[in-house]
Amino acid sequence: MPDYSKEINRRRTFAIISHPDAGKTTLTEKFLLYGGAINLAGSVKGKATARHAVSDWMEIEKERGISVTSSVLQFEYDGFCINILDTPGHQDFSEDTYRTLMAADSAVMVIDGSKGVEAQTRKLFKVCVMRKIPIFTFINKMDRDAMDTFDLLDDIEKELGIATCPINWPIGSGKGFKGVYDRESASIICYSDTEKGTKEGKSVTVPVSDEALLRETIGDEAADKLLEEIELLDGAGADFDLETVRAGELTPVCFGSALTNFGVEIFLQHFLNMATTPLPRKSDAGVIDPVKEGFSAFVFKIQANMNKAHRDRVAFMRICSGRYDANDEVRHVQGGRVMRLSQPQQIMADERKILEEAYAGDIIGVFDPGIFSIGDTVCAPSLNFRYEGIPTFAPEHFARVRQMDTMKRKQFVKGIEQIAQEGAIQIFQELHSGMEEIIVGVVGVLQFDVLKYRLENEYNVEIRLENLPYEHIRWVEHPETVDMEKLSGTSDMKKVVDMKGNPLLLFINPWSVGMTLERNPGLELSEFGRG
Ligand code: G4P
């Protein structure tokens, strides 16, 4: 087999997670800027120009009636080929957001320095922990008044339960932001916002050992505070250890301001040095090595069209091993056939280009005539194995679905099952009730509207949704050993089954989960369903 190690080993594939408004888009744009994927003319309009480039592409997407998100971006930087996976925030937050994390080898967590850890970050972080992937933290908006640095790190450690290791340390914040102290070189890198929007400003580097120069550069007050903080930090902080970082137990932290272009390139360089090459993945034939094995990939996301006129779907695949060649046939393992992928494309910052080849670590989108499901494996025809399934993530909002016209039962069942298969919603039935009583669960409430809209437009079925108060869902582990009838829970508990027949419990109150576990010795409950 040809050796593709050079191409594969220069790839880094990561997802960006953050709470809306922390600066994920701005940071992504700056990454693209350094990689030359976006060219900026002039300096002041930097951000607007960059955003324009991305949104233009989104307009094209809309016209073509495909999705509305820039899901994957690829760019080159310093010999690396970098794939960024976007995890949509705001109201389009859905199970897809979680699934995207299954396709990444590491995560970049963006935190607003004035806010600390926020809700959305907490949710996405759980998935990173489950996957044990490395997490790199960028504390943004240091040009605005930020929380105390020690408090910020404490917040991450307490809220997320991960140790932190500052790579650099901010000198002041807001109007008093002077730059960062780089721990490795024991020098400060000064901030100037005069070069907003262009490449990272020319930085002045001063070693802290030259105390006179340090005081002259940042002033006595900032110098005193910094020297004191360095002493505290060196005495108290966790030691840096690459293995612990790669195991997802320690997060390196950098500070900066994406908007004014400070600290972004420093962060990117540290990140690239520490992040892993495409990781091996588990399959039913053992662990698959990205370099030694032929082509293989798995489907992590299917984007169906919201537009009635074009019912096409795009399946997004993460290549896990080898090289993909658009001329070659592939085996769709779950579909049991060998075929050629239709219109394979790579999604770039501002264009979609038909792709000829791609390597382990890359993401490709292919036209899906309705044959792929989330979690499916595609590989070279000479191979035949299945990657571990993608877990089902816990929905947080539930509603009972009522059909308005009972004569259209068949379309209704077909439609709702199809939409559930695409992974936009999850459907449950009460124990023994069959399809008479359908409960739908979603990760983000927008999915309720999507369901209603699609059933009406694509299946001509009108429904009414009646919200249910459940917020906590648990899959019953080892269901073959549990008698669901006899299981005694709390008064707010509901027993249901998912589409695959797995039993689950729904609760209104979080403490009911613990109570139910107490009342049923040996019972094990999980927040993730088996894929
Ligand atoms: P998101 O993708 O995480 O939702 O955040 P986004 O990058 O869109 O940033 C949210 C807001 O925060 C934007 O302002 C952006 O300009 C601002 N921002 C991002 N990074 C920084 C930073 O380092 N410092 C400061 N001071 N602000 C930052 P907006 O007013 O909502 O948008 P716009 O009008 O600038 O487009």
Side-chain angles (χ1 to χ4, degrees):
M1 210 182 75
D3 180 10
Y4 301 123
S5 57
K6 207 171 143 217
E7 275 301 329
I8 294 173
N9 289 335
R10 71 185 194 93
R11 276 163 164 80
R12 299 288 182 276
T13 303
F14 68 92
I16 300 203
I17 64 176
S18 75
H19 193 78
D21 276 344
K24 189 180 62 165
T25 313
T26 314
L27 186 69
T28 309
E29 284 165 359
K30 296 298 151 90
F31 285 160
L32 297 179
L33 174 67
Y34 295 129
I38 290 177
N39 294 313
L40 294 189
S43 54
V44 200
K45 281 189 298 181
K47 179 156 173 285
T49 318
R51 181 158 291 185
H52 194 58
V54 175
S55 59
D56 267 0
W57 176 67
M58 277 165 49
E59 273 312 306
I60 300 167
E61 295 275 78
K62 268 193 225 153
E63 265 174 37
R64 285 197 204 149
I66 312 179
S67 76
V68 211
T69 47
S70 52
S71 320
V72 190
L73 302 163
Q74 187 182 62
F75 70 100
E76 297 268 338
Y77 177 85
D78 201 17
F80 290 97
C81 175
I82 301 158
N83 294 302
I84 307 184
L85 293 154
D86 186 24
T87 54
H90 299 264
Q91 5 160 338
D92 45 358
F93 188 82
S94 71
E95 216 179 321
D96 266 351
T97 315
Y98 288 137
R99 287 196 199 105
T100 299
L101 287 170
M102 304 302 292
D105 297 314
S106 53
V108 163
M109 173 162 81
V110 188
I111 288 178
D112 181 334
S114 67
K115 302 213 170 114
V117 176
E118 295 175 89
Q120 209 98 301
T121 315
R122 215 173 287 136
K123 283 193 202 173
L124 290 165
F125 184 83
K126 269 194 193 168
V127 183
C128 298
V129 169
M130 177 190 77
R131 290 209 46 221
K132 300 191 171 59
I133 56 172
I135 296 157
F136 301 88
T137 305
F138 183 75
I139 300 195
N140 191 29
K141 302 200 186 183
M142 294 309 294
D143 60 306
R144 294 243 184 102
D145 289 339
M147 282 165 63
D148 174 77
T149 313
F150 285 107
D151 288 349
L152 268 168
L153 298 179
D154 243 24
D155 191 43
I156 296 175
E157 303 206 345
K158 288 217 184 81
E159 285 279 341
L160 306 177
I162 186 171
T164 58
C165 177
I167 296 296
N168 54 37
W169 191 261
I171 307 167
S173 70
K175 286 200 172 65
F177 184 49
K178 300 245 167 20
V180 291
Y181 162 67
D182 178 60
R183 295 180 72 196
E184 198 183 35
S185 63
S187 50
I188 62 164
I189 301 160
C190 296
Y191 164 75
S192 88
D193 68 351
T194 51
E195 299 200 42
K196 273 186 194 172
T198 59
K199 289 230 167 194
E200 196 127 318
K202 278 177 228 69
S203 54
V204 182
T205 307
V206 177
V208 282
S209 52
D210 189 342
E211 205 177 312
L213 184 59
L214 178 75
R215 289 183 181 282
E216 192 187 311
T217 316
I218 61 173
D220 279 334
E221 200 184 325
D224 284 339
K225 184 161 184 269
L226 177 66
L227 292 170
E228 191 185 315
E229 285 180 338
I230 293 175
E231 205 172 315
L232 269 174
L233 180 64
D234 290 346
D239 278 342
F240 178 77
D241 172 45
L242 191 58
E243 284 315 303
T244 326
V245 170
R246 291 198 169 157
E249 290 160 13
L250 176 70
T251 178
V253 183
C254 283
F255 294 81
S257 157
L259 184 65
T260 58
N261 252 331
F262 185 81
V264 176
E265 197 160 21
I266 302 173
F267 175 64
L268 184 60
Q269 284 162 351
H270 278 290
F271 167 78
L272 290 171
N273 280 333
M274 289 186 248
T276 57
T277 55
L279 292 171
R281 291 195 178 235
K282 279 194 201 142
S283 79
D284 60 0
V287 173
I288 304 298
D289 185 285
V291 173
K292 292 195 191 117
E293 201 57 87
F295 165 72
S296 73
F298 73 92
V299 178
F300 67 93
K301 172 169 166 163
I302 291 177
Q303 206 136 54
N305 209 324
M306 300 272 296
N307 184 336
K308 198 179 175 184
H310 319 255
R311 266 208 207 171
D312 53 346
R313 311 203 300 179
V314 175
F316 287 87
M317 301 180 185
R318 149 82 199 224
I319 303 183
C320 301
S321 65
R323 169 179 179 267
Y324 168 70
D325 185 319
N327 297 311
D328 291 349
E329 292 198 308
V330 299
R331 177 192 303 282
H332 174 212
V333 179
Q334 279 78 355
R337 58 180 177 152
V338 171
M339 56 194 249
R340 196 159 271 133
L341 293 178
S342 182
Q343 300 167 26
Q345 45 201 328
Q346 187 140 39
I347 292 103
M348 303 289 286
D350 50 1
E351 61 179 303
R352 250 171 195 230
K353 67 169 191 206
I354 293 293
L355 158 136
E356 271 146 34
E357 56 163 24
Y359 294 88
D362 291 342
I363 310 296
I364 57 173
V366 303
F367 172 71
D368 171 24
I371 56 171
F372 294 114
S373 296
I374 288 179
D376 281 5
T377 301
V378 170
C379 55
S382 57
L383 303 173
N384 198 352
F385 59 76
R386 288 163 196 243
Y387 278 110
E388 260 191 350
I390 294 184
T392 309
F393 299 99
E396 290 174 29
H397 309 276
F398 297 86
R400 186 171 284 126
V401 189
R402 295 243 185 260
Q403 188 188 350
M404 304 300 274
D405 181 354
T406 45
M407 298 298 282
K408 292 185 183 161
R409 190 75 202 163
K410 248 171 123 176
Q411 284 112 295
F412 167 66
V413 172
K414 183 173 166 221
I416 202 159
E417 282 187 345
Q418 181 97 40
I419 296 169
Q421 234 158 36
E422 287 167 14
I425 56 160
Q426 290 178 46
I427 53 178
F428 307 99
Q429 296 153 26
E430 267 189 76
L431 217 54
H432 308 308
S433 83
M435 289 299 271
E436 295 310 310
E437 170 92 21
I438 293 182
I439 294 172
V440 51
V442 296
V443 168
V445 283
L446 185 78
Q447 299 303 319
F448 281 144
D449 297 337
V450 173
L451 172 69
K452 214 164 171 318
Y453 178 87
R454 290 191 56 192
L455 279 176
E456 269 169 36
N457 280 269
E458 294 173 26
Y459 299 90
N460 204 13
V461 174
E462 243 185 281
I463 56 158
R464 205 178 56 216
L465 291 164
E466 200 181 291
N467 288 332
L468 296 171
Y470 305 105
E471 283 182 18
H472 308 274
I473 182 169
R474 293 292 183 274
W475 276 264
V476 176
E477 294 282 350
H478 318 294
E480 58 293 345
T481 63
V482 179
D483 184 346
M484 285 299 285
E485 304 290 341
K486 293 218 180 98
L487 196 138
S488 80
T490 49
S491 58
D492 68 328
M493 184 184 88
K494 194 174 188 70
K495 299 174 187 173
V496 296
V497 288
D498 68 12
M499 264 172 89
K500 293 178 188 153
N502 297 313
L504 304 103
L505 302 173
L506 304 181
F507 300 92
I508 299 174
N509 299 308
W511 47 262
S512 299
V513 181
M515 198 101 96
T516 303
L517 284 169
E518 246 171 60
R519 286 185 186 160
N520 300 274
L523 178 71
E524 282 180 47
L525 300 174
S526 158
E527 278 188 61
F528 301 104
R530 275 169 300 275

